[in-house]
Amino acid sequence: MSFVSGVHHVALIVSDYEASKRFYTEVMGFAVLAEHYREERDSWKLDVALPDGKQLEIFSFPSSPKRPSYPEARGLRHLAFVTENIDASVHALEGHGVSVEAIRVDPYTGARFTFFNDPDGLPLELYELASL
């Protein structure tokens, strides 16, 4: 039995705070819980809520180094979001100008999934629960 009961939040560092705020709130539709400017760090912190109650913390830091993604580096590989209708979700993302990969089927679970990127190129996945 694990002493961990779940995930509370995932923290992201972004290069363009306003672009990422727009992406996660307007494109992804996550609700703003709190937003703070931390003057001593010249940093913004935005807390957004996912529909299941989990949270994303979005930080801006001046001159933060770029994340090595290609080729894939050790560490966090991608962030996956659950969707009940992947076709509608892809359509909504593309309606906002987001490029989305072709929908694939997981050979082990039979679930449909696809990938897209946030404004900093962070790989994000949509994983359809309805296909399970």
Side-chain angles (χ1 to χ4, degrees):
M1 175 82 150
S2 176
F3 60 88
V4 174
S5 61
V7 172
H8 179 267
H9 71 269
V10 174
L12 307 175
I13 298 173
V14 302
S15 65
D16 183 330
Y17 179 74
E18 290 301 324
S20 293
K21 178 181 176 182
R22 186 189 73 71
F23 179 82
Y24 285 102
T25 60
E26 295 176 23
V27 176
M28 297 299 293
F30 301 150
V32 173
L33 295 171
E35 182 176 33
H36 302 281
Y37 179 70
R38 301 171 317 163
E39 188 172 350
E40 70 283 359
R41 301 180 82 177
D42 190 22
S43 169
W44 282 96
K45 179 179 184 282
L46 176 69
D47 297 323
V48 297
L50 281 66
D52 66 358
K54 309 280 188 298
Q55 297 178 24
L56 290 180
E57 291 182 343
I58 299 168
F59 295 90
S60 69
F61 293 110
S63 305
S64 58
K66 190 173 180 180
R67 176 187 189 271
S69 290
Y70 304 100
E72 291 184 292
R74 286 186 205 107
L76 181 66
R77 185 173 188 191
H78 62 265
L79 179 56
F81 297 107
V82 172
T83 182
E84 293 182 12
N85 184 330
I86 199 164
D87 298 302
S89 298
V90 166
H91 182 73
L93 287 168
E94 290 175 340
H96 284 282
V98 176
S99 178
V100 181
E101 292 181 7
I103 295 170
R104 296 181 267 168
V105 176
D106 186 306
Y108 302 107
T109 67
R112 295 172 36 171
F113 68 98
T114 188
F115 285 91
F116 59 104
N117 293 320
D118 83 349
D120 281 303
L122 176 69
L124 302 174
E125 179 182 4
L126 285 176
Y127 197 84
E128 186 180 58
L129 282 185
S131 62
L132 294 176

